[in-house]
Amino acid sequence: MKSLDPNQIRLQFPILNREVNGKPLIYLDHAASAQKPLAVIEAQREYLSHYHSNVHRGVHALSNQATEAFESARRSVSASINAEFVEEVIWVAGATDGINLIAQSWGRDNIKQGDVVLITEMEHHANIVPWQMLVKACGARLEAVGVTDDGVLDKTDFQNKLKLQPKLVALTHVSNTLGTINDVKFWADEAHAAGSIVLIDGSQAMPHMDVDVQALGCDFYVFSGHKAYGPTGIGVLYGKRQLLEEMSPWRGGGEMIDVVSLKHGTTFAGLPYKFEAGTPHISGAIALGVALNWIQGIGKGAMQDHENTLTAQARRGLGQIEGLRLIGNAPNSSSVVSFVVDDVHPYDIGTLLDSQGIAVRTGHHCTQPLMERFGVVGTVRASFGAYNTLQEVDALVSGTQRAIRMLKG
Amino acid sequence: MKSLDPNQIRLQFPILNREVNGKPLIYLDHAASAQKPLAVIEAQREYLSHYHSNVHRGVHALSNQATEAFESARRSVSASINAEFVEEVIWVAGATDGINLIAQSWGRDNIKQGDVVLITEMEHHANIVPWQMLVKACGARLEAVGVTDDGVLDKTDFQNKLKLQPKLVALTHVSNTLGTINDVKFWADEAHAAGSIVLIDGSQAMPHMDVDVQALGCDFYVFSGHKAYGPTGIGVLYGKRQLLEEMSPWRGGGEMIDVVSLKHGTTFAGLPYKFEAGTPHISGAIALGVALNWIQGIGKGAMQDHENTLTAQARRGLGQIEGLRLIGNAPNSSSVVSFVVDDVHPYDIGTLLDSQGIAVRTGHHCTQPLMERFGVVGTVRASFGAYNTLQEVDALVSGTQRAIRMLKG
Amino acid sequence: MNETLEARQVEIVEEFESFEDWMDKYEYVIELGKSLNSMPESAKLDDHLIRGCQSRVWLVAAKNDDGTIRFEADSDAIITKGLVALMVRALNGLTPKAVAEADLWFIAKIGLDTHLSPTRANGLQSMVQQMRHYGLAFQAKG
Amino acid sequence: MNETLEARQVEIVEEFESFEDWMDKYEYVIELGKSLNSMPESAKLDDHLIRGCQSRVWLVAAKNDDGTIRFEADSDAIITKGLVALMVRALNGLTPKAVAEADLWFIAKIGLDTHLSPTRANGLQSMVQQMRHYGLAFQAKG
Ligand SMILES: Cc1ncc(COP(=O)(O)O)c(C=O)c1O
Ligand SMILES: Cc1ncc(COP(=O)(O)O)c(C=O)c1O
């Protein structure tokens, strides 16, 4: 495996040349959204400048060119997650949109009064609220697997809750707040043994590690493009073909129909179009395909190695700061580091880091139940991508020290 | 009012320099999707290259910059449709997404067994299928106002159907197939008098004519960005504040919540965020704001004048071709011309125009009920934007003549 | 690789080589479409219909006494029909095996492959697939 | 335009002018935050809470005998509290009318206006609005 030179990679990210507050930008907010390589930016510009057209059904050359590129992007996605069939890849607006699609289509078809839907305490709101809304509408019940002090799923609790025979287990692959990598293959097997359907929220996994939906054995897998070096407004819902075929459509409109008749009713298109009503986000899909190919070119293995090095150094450096407590200490974790400091508000640290040019995120990171679990109002979260360097990690550590000195001193 | 020089405008559209099939591109498929001016393409590139970041709640400078631009785009939209309150502007993925939001939120809250939803025979599938799905789920009934031979709403039929006291009237502002401009202000008043809520599908109006939601008096108005010179994957749902406030959220997730608790349940954010779950299409929203400002800069009045000239010339020229029948002859119509030719399949004409570099759309244009109404399998549709010229219209007419000669000869 | 099929494809490509531009090519495709016998309306059953979003194709296959396949096809769009005619000409009278394995490279060679793209609205791609299926099916029946 | 308010804003701006960079500015804001009296926990009622997504602000207003307004405020984040202290300093002891109409231009002038953006998560924007509302309310009560 080739190792990765972040300084080479940085050259491809125009935003990393800029300053904020008079300091060179140090972008450590990758988990909120990744910055974009030139290849992605240019793919979108190129599309809009040279072959934009509405896709499908067009007789003209532009429309065919756009359609080819759009469908070829679907094939890139399919390859990058090793889907069995390309029509298992559904374009959605993002992970949130994808989870809502499952909740409102598969969920409304399958969740009945008294049924259990099982999530975990470390889910992002995107993987909580749609299920709260669903169980409320259906008279079902939502259960959540607990998290240990280290930020790992509580194995006993999980196994006990599987005994409730949940209809669905919806689980994040990687926690956006703790960095914890869940053993989703193991849990998918356990959940299947309990008769559940398994949805994996891959938002924080797709940008960082190999994802093979067949090997994981999950039924659904979702992720957002913008976290995987792709553009905003586009994401992917993978579903096993048979499940998708059985599901009712969610959004109605053009593209997703076969025959529309006011007298005889409407019949729907086959996969993947049944779930893709309306003009799709064509430029977004094409550029997401480019982003995934770009990741492939660098190699997820090399990325993960590099990011692990950064994360380890950050954990080491921050861990030595007095009064600082890391939130999330899973043995198997990704490039996210969350922390709190005694008697200091995360917002203050975030503000002072920002004034040193260092962009981190503070707050609940859309995981309020997890904040409650750890008894904190929020955390400071630094998260890393392929373009971050050890020097930037060092700046984070010393910047945090300086901030704390100012705040406590 | 300044008049418009299409040759000046063309300079701003890089795609118009290209050739297809060895001929200069003549793009007459505006109604399917508009081409993009440089200002829009560059806004998106600029955003991704220099200040991309996830919006809202960020403490860092990039996040604030992105949020400001994102919210300022919302203000541009609000101004361009003259909304009373900026929070009445909800970002959606497109017109289709917006209509589905209304159907699945307002619709499920308000449509009960036996209720009537009223649409028209000239609606796009996006304004048919969501209602078919809704009435099926709720045990309600869908009725459609008929269309006269000229392609105008049948006034008597409309007034009769309003006597059914429909809960909702969903009506297109401009027909994408016929070009007919409906008197939506008149029908909104009539519908309100009958106690209905009124949704206007503005997809084909927003790119061409002044839209003032307060003057129109509609309750909801939707349109897609990509038809209004903006990017793909973004659109707008306007709704009257009070209605939106009463509506249940549709998609659950981040951004749309206030407090999420597994124990105590979840409370939702205020407008507009209640309806904007998940990371929004930030670059799309920003570039759509730019597109609407760009339109403003040229002036919709000037655009409409120019487009009317093109359309009149096209109708005149095509109307003289033997065996050619214009579908849609409304006295008040927009820059869309649909036609069929005796004994000739639209696909053949479209193919031969394409080989002359002329991009038109053929088929049912996502209005199958309208095709049924006119007894045709499809039409050839040419549609014009600000960048089209009279020469291009002439090329369309002579190209169509040539195609017909080849096909019939 | 079937020699008859190869020879036919070479022949078609040669015919198209003389055309200078697209309009000439289509002129010829239209001619082919017109000269292909239309199927009687009674034979245009839904069972034989391959629906594209725009133009429709009907396809019937039968076995000749010598075990080869005979195709009959039609379309409501004349350009589609011309392309259908080319396919039929290429594959008619071949053995089921040859049909099932047919590599129709001539379409790309004459530059009309965009009409066969799966995203194209004319049903041609499905027709080619359907022809191969017939090849397989008739092979199976022996 | 209220002269007291203007004079106070000018004063604050002068104080900030000496700082060369952001860190120095924040150093001073933090100091201001620390020197503002904390509200007793018992006074931090939900009624007085202005919730930002991240830091929280509590605000209480009362009328002095001479009809002017007295504000007390606090925040759980120290930088927010420092900014709160500046607001209170600017507006304390003014008449309800002056508070209701206050134009707090000093915030932008000292470069801390990003903290007051409506999209900012700290509740400050809502606090300023709330202060003005108190001004209006106390005016109405006469
Ligand atoms: C009148 C009308 N309504 C709705 C739509 C749907 O728009 P979109 O596909 O962008 O969601 C269209 C465009 O196709 C249209 O022309
Ligand atoms: C784990 C996880 N799930 C879901 C989401 C939601 O993604 P989006 O906001 O792009 O829909 C995020 C990102 O915020 C996330 O980190």
Side-chain angles (χ1 to χ4, degrees):
Chain A
M1 189 176 71
K2 259 193 339 219
S3 79
L4 167 168
D5 177 357
N7 290 313
Q8 280 302 316
I9 288 182
R10 292 174 74 80
L11 299 175
Q12 301 176 49
F13 287 80
I15 202 171
L16 299 179
N17 292 323
R18 72 167 272 178
E19 299 198 332
V20 294
N21 299 323
K23 304 276 158 45
L25 168 64
I26 296 181
Y27 186 75
L28 306 182
D29 196 16
H30 191 85
S33 199
Q35 295 302 344
K36 318 303 172 203
L38 264 179
V40 168
I41 299 170
E42 287 303 305
Q44 214 161 358
R45 199 187 56 74
E46 172 72 16
Y47 168 75
L48 294 173
S49 306
H50 296 302
Y51 62 104
H52 167 64
S53 169
N54 214 325
V55 289
H56 300 303
R57 298 184 187 161
V59 286
H60 58 76
L62 279 188
S63 178
N64 283 309
Q65 194 180 345
T67 306
E68 287 296 340
F70 178 75
E71 293 300 337
S72 147
R74 195 193 303 274
R75 290 190 292 275
S76 293
V77 172
S78 174
S80 75
I81 59 173
N82 193 30
E84 191 175 355
F85 306 103
V86 69
E87 66 266 30
E88 294 177 327
V89 171
I90 313 287
W91 298 116
V92 289
T96 302
D97 191 47
I99 295 172
N100 278 278
L101 191 163
I102 301 167
Q104 297 193 32
S105 166
W106 182 88
R108 281 175 187 264
D109 287 350
N110 291 281
I111 302 293
K112 305 273 171 276
Q113 180 143 15
D115 282 349
V116 170
V117 171
L118 184 59
I119 59 171
T120 85
E121 254 180 16
M122 68 166 79
E123 298 310 313
H124 186 280
H125 292 165
N127 206 18
I128 299 176
V129 184
W131 309 117
Q132 288 182 320
M133 290 163 62
L134 175 70
V135 298
K136 195 166 166 199
C138 302
R141 187 155 56 94
L142 188 63
E143 293 281 342
V145 174
V147 168
T148 69
D149 290 345
D150 272 352
V152 175
L153 291 177
D154 182 330
K155 202 160 172 172
T156 315
D157 192 37
F158 207 146
Q159 262 150 348
N160 281 334
K161 291 208 163 112
L162 283 178
K163 292 187 186 130
L164 302 170
Q165 297 187 298
K167 280 275 156 61
L168 176 84
V169 175
L171 169 65
T172 194
H173 198 159
V174 173
S175 160
N176 65 307
T177 299
L178 308 169
T180 309
I181 301 177
N182 291 315
D183 189 350
V184 289
K185 165 146 186 47
F186 175 80
W187 290 115
D189 287 347
E190 296 279 300
H192 282 144
S196 314
I197 289 292
V198 177
L199 158 67
I200 305 297
D201 174 358
S203 306
Q204 296 293 343
M206 196 61 196
H208 300 288
M209 48 202 278
D210 280 325
V211 171
D212 179 332
V213 290
Q214 293 187 71
L216 293 177
C218 55
D219 300 293
F220 296 111
Y221 197 93
V222 296
F223 67 91
S224 286
H226 71 96
K227 295 190 199 272
Y229 301 95
T232 60
I234 188 84
V236 168
L237 159 60
Y238 156 85
K240 277 195 186 142
R241 187 164 72 175
Q242 200 192 326
L243 275 171
L244 292 175
E245 273 170 356
E246 289 162 7
M247 277 159 62
S248 310
W250 180 38
R251 274 178 284 240
E255 296 266 336
M256 55 73 78
I257 53 86
D258 181 17
V259 178
V260 173
S261 164
L262 293 171
K263 294 185 198 93
H264 312 296
T266 286
T267 53
F268 300 115
L271 292 178
Y273 306 110
K274 181 169 84 172
F275 293 107
E276 296 181 355
T279 303
H281 184 6
I282 310 166
S283 79
I286 292 172
L288 177 52
V290 170
L292 296 179
N293 292 339
W294 178 86
I295 292 176
Q296 207 73 17
I298 293 173
K300 283 204 183 166
M303 279 192 176
Q304 212 174 354
D305 265 11
H306 173 64
E307 290 163 7
N308 284 345
T309 308
L310 300 175
T311 312
Q313 174 128 328
R315 287 182 176 272
R316 214 166 25 238
L318 292 167
Q320 277 161 12
I321 297 177
E322 211 191 290
L324 185 149
R325 180 158 64 101
L326 295 170
I327 304 288
N329 289 293
N332 195 11
S333 74
S334 179
S335 58
V336 167
V337 182
S338 257
F339 63 88
V340 293
V341 177
D342 293 345
D343 305 319
V344 173
H345 197 287
Y347 181 81
D348 290 324
I349 297 181
T351 301
L352 294 180
L353 287 173
D354 179 50
S355 73
Q356 300 172 68
I358 303 169
V360 296
R361 195 140 291 238
T362 63
H364 55 61
H365 317 298
C366 296
T367 53
Q368 288 182 11
L370 200 56
M371 298 296 106
E372 210 179 317
R373 161 65 183 84
F374 282 96
V376 295
V377 294
T379 73
V380 181
R381 181 188 73 182
S383 54
F384 312 109
Y387 41 67
N388 291 122
T389 65
L390 283 169
Q391 291 87 314
E392 291 180 322
V393 171
D394 292 343
L396 166 71
V397 174
S398 60
T400 304
Q401 279 167 326
R402 185 168 172 201
I404 295 173
R405 263 198 314 273
M406 280 171 67
L407 291 163
K408 286 198 173 175
Chain B
M1 189 176 71
K2 258 189 345 217
S3 78
L4 166 168
D5 177 358
N7 290 314
Q8 281 301 318
I9 288 182
R10 292 175 73 81
L11 298 175
Q12 302 177 47
F13 288 79
I15 203 172
L16 299 178
N17 292 322
R18 72 167 274 179
E19 300 200 331
V20 294
N21 299 323
K23 304 273 158 47
L25 169 64
I26 296 181
Y27 186 76
L28 305 181
D29 196 16
H30 191 84
S33 199
Q35 294 303 341
K36 318 302 172 204
L38 263 178
V40 168
I41 299 170
E42 286 303 304
Q44 213 162 0
R45 197 186 57 73
E46 172 70 17
Y47 168 75
L48 293 174
S49 306
H50 295 301
Y51 62 104
H52 167 64
S53 168
N54 215 325
V55 288
H56 302 303
R57 300 187 186 159
V59 285
H60 59 76
L62 278 189
S63 178
N64 283 309
Q65 194 180 346
T67 305
E68 287 297 338
F70 178 74
E71 292 300 336
S72 147
R74 196 193 303 274
R75 290 191 293 274
S76 292
V77 172
S78 174
S80 75
I81 60 173
N82 193 30
E84 191 175 355
F85 307 102
V86 69
E87 66 267 29
E88 294 177 325
V89 171
I90 314 284
W91 298 116
V92 289
T96 303
D97 192 46
I99 295 172
N100 279 277
L101 192 163
I102 301 167
Q104 297 193 31
S105 167
W106 183 89
R108 280 175 188 264
D109 286 349
N110 290 282
I111 302 293
K112 305 272 170 279
Q113 182 142 15
D115 283 349
V116 170
V117 170
L118 184 59
I119 60 171
T120 84
E121 255 179 14
M122 68 166 79
E123 299 309 313
H124 186 279
H125 292 165
N127 206 18
I128 300 176
V129 184
W131 309 116
Q132 288 182 321
M133 289 163 64
L134 175 70
V135 299
K136 196 167 166 200
C138 302
R141 188 154 57 96
L142 188 64
E143 292 282 342
V145 174
V147 168
T148 68
D149 290 346
D150 272 351
V152 175
L153 290 177
D154 182 329
K155 203 161 172 169
T156 315
D157 191 35
F158 207 146
Q159 262 149 348
N160 281 335
K161 292 211 163 111
L162 283 178
K163 293 187 187 134
L164 302 171
Q165 298 187 297
K167 280 276 156 59
L168 177 84
V169 174
L171 169 64
T172 194
H173 199 159
V174 173
S175 159
N176 65 308
T177 299
L178 309 169
T180 309
I181 301 177
N182 291 315
D183 189 349
V184 289
K185 167 149 185 46
F186 175 80
W187 289 116
D189 287 347
E190 296 279 301
H192 282 145
S196 314
I197 291 292
V198 177
L199 158 68
I200 305 296
D201 173 359
S203 306
Q204 296 293 342
M206 195 61 196
H208 300 289
M209 50 201 279
D210 280 325
V211 171
D212 179 333
V213 290
Q214 292 187 70
L216 293 177
C218 55
D219 301 291
F220 297 110
Y221 197 94
V222 297
F223 67 91
S224 287
H226 71 95
K227 297 191 198 271
Y229 301 95
T232 59
I234 188 83
V236 168
L237 159 60
Y238 157 86
K240 277 195 189 142
R241 189 166 69 174
Q242 199 192 328
L243 274 171
L244 292 175
E245 272 171 356
E246 289 162 7
M247 279 160 60
S248 309
W250 179 38
R251 274 178 284 241
E255 299 265 336
M256 56 73 78
I257 54 87
D258 182 18
V259 178
V260 174
S261 164
L262 293 171
K263 294 185 199 93
H264 312 294
T266 287
T267 52
F268 301 115
L271 293 178
Y273 307 111
K274 181 169 83 173
F275 294 106
E276 296 182 354
T279 304
H281 183 5
I282 310 164
S283 80
I286 292 172
L288 177 52
V290 170
L292 296 179
N293 292 339
W294 179 86
I295 292 176
Q296 207 73 15
I298 293 173
K300 281 203 183 167
M303 277 192 177
Q304 213 176 354
D305 266 9
H306 172 64
E307 290 163 6
N308 285 346
T309 309
L310 300 176
T311 312
Q313 173 127 329
R315 287 183 176 272
R316 215 165 26 239
L318 292 167
Q320 278 162 11
I321 297 176
E322 210 191 291
L324 185 149
R325 180 156 64 102
L326 294 170
I327 304 288
N329 289 293
N332 195 12
S333 73
S334 179
S335 59
V336 166
V337 183
S338 257
F339 63 88
V340 293
V341 177
D342 294 344
D343 306 322
V344 173
H345 197 287
Y347 181 81
D348 290 324
I349 297 182
T351 301
L352 294 180
L353 286 172
D354 179 51
S355 73
Q356 301 171 67
I358 303 169
V360 296
R361 195 141 292 239
T362 63
H364 55 61
H365 318 297
C366 296
T367 54
Q368 287 182 12
L370 200 56
M371 297 298 105
E372 212 178 315
R373 160 67 183 83
F374 282 95
V376 294
V377 295
T379 73
V380 181
R381 181 187 72 183
S383 54
F384 312 109
Y387 40 68
N388 290 122
T389 65
L390 284 169
Q391 290 86 317
E392 290 180 323
V393 171
D394 293 342
L396 167 71
V397 174
S398 60
T400 304
Q401 280 167 324
R402 184 166 173 204
I404 295 173
R405 263 198 314 275
M406 279 170 68
L407 292 162
K408 286 197 171 172
Chain C
M1 212 173 63
N2 182 288
E3 282 178 24
T4 317
L5 173 59
E6 287 304 296
R8 287 177 185 172
Q9 297 201 74
V10 169
E11 193 181 273
I12 295 172
V13 169
E14 279 169 3
E15 282 170 22
F16 272 83
E17 258 165 11
S18 59
F19 302 124
E20 288 193 357
D21 77 354
W22 283 103
M23 290 304 259
D24 294 337
K25 259 186 220 175
Y26 280 122
E27 192 101 57
Y28 185 56
V29 171
I30 291 167
E31 206 176 286
L32 292 173
K34 286 181 182 159
S35 54
L36 181 68
N37 284 337
S38 292
M39 280 165 65
E41 284 305 314
S42 59
K44 290 184 181 169
L45 301 173
D46 274 2
D47 276 1
H48 304 147
L49 176 63
I50 296 163
R51 263 237 319 277
C53 296
Q54 297 198 17
S55 62
R56 294 176 294 173
V57 171
W58 292 268
L59 175 71
V60 183
K63 212 161 181 176
N64 294 317
D65 291 344
D66 63 356
T68 59
I69 305 189
R70 183 176 66 245
F71 289 107
E72 246 188 294
D74 201 346
S75 172
D76 57 349
I78 195 76
I79 292 175
T80 308
K81 192 170 172 183
L83 293 163
V84 162
L86 284 170
M87 290 340 154
V88 170
R89 174 171 153 198
L91 296 180
N92 241 1
L94 298 187
T95 61
K97 183 163 183 297
V99 170
E101 294 169 357
D103 169 19
L104 296 176
W105 52 261
F106 80 95
I107 311 276
K109 193 86 182 176
I110 64 180
L112 290 169
D113 45 333
T114 62
H115 286 276
L116 258 90
S117 119
T119 57
R120 194 76 180 195
N122 57 15
L124 271 181
Q125 227 256 348
S126 311
M127 185 188 86
V128 174
Q129 258 167 20
Q130 189 58 39
M131 289 173 114
R132 291 212 189 91
H133 281 158
Y134 277 121
L136 277 177
F138 286 148
Q139 247 182 308
K141 285 197 228 153
Chain D
M1 214 173 63
N2 183 287
E3 282 176 24
T4 317
L5 175 58
E6 288 304 295
R8 286 177 186 173
Q9 298 201 73
V10 169
E11 192 181 274
I12 295 172
V13 169
E14 278 168 4
E15 282 171 23
F16 273 82
E17 258 164 11
S18 61
F19 302 123
E20 290 191 357
D21 77 356
W22 284 101
M23 290 303 260
D24 292 338
K25 258 186 222 176
Y26 279 121
E27 192 101 55
Y28 185 56
V29 172
I30 291 167
E31 209 176 284
L32 293 173
K34 286 182 183 159
S35 54
L36 180 69
N37 284 337
S38 292
M39 281 166 65
E41 285 305 313
S42 59
K44 292 185 180 167
L45 300 174
D46 274 4
D47 276 0
H48 305 146
L49 176 62
I50 296 164
R51 263 238 317 279
C53 297
Q54 297 197 15
S55 62
R56 293 177 295 173
V57 171
W58 292 267
L59 175 71
V60 183
K63 215 165 179 173
N64 293 317
D65 292 343
D66 63 356
T68 58
I69 305 190
R70 184 176 66 245
F71 289 108
E72 246 187 290
D74 202 348
S75 171
D76 57 349
I78 196 74
I79 292 176
T80 308
K81 192 170 172 184
L83 293 162
V84 161
L86 285 170
M87 282 354 143
V88 170
R89 175 171 153 196
L91 296 180
N92 241 3
L94 297 187
T95 61
K97 183 162 182 298
V99 169
E101 294 169 357
D103 169 19
L104 296 175
W105 51 262
F106 79 95
I107 311 274
K109 192 86 181 177
I110 63 180
L112 290 169
D113 45 332
T114 63
H115 286 277
L116 257 90
S117 122
T119 57
R120 194 75 179 198
N122 58 13
L124 271 181
Q125 227 257 348
S126 312
M127 185 187 85
V128 173
Q129 259 167 18
Q130 189 58 38
M131 289 173 115
R132 293 212 187 91
H133 280 158
Y134 276 122
L136 277 177
F138 285 148
Q139 248 182 302
K141 285 196 229 153

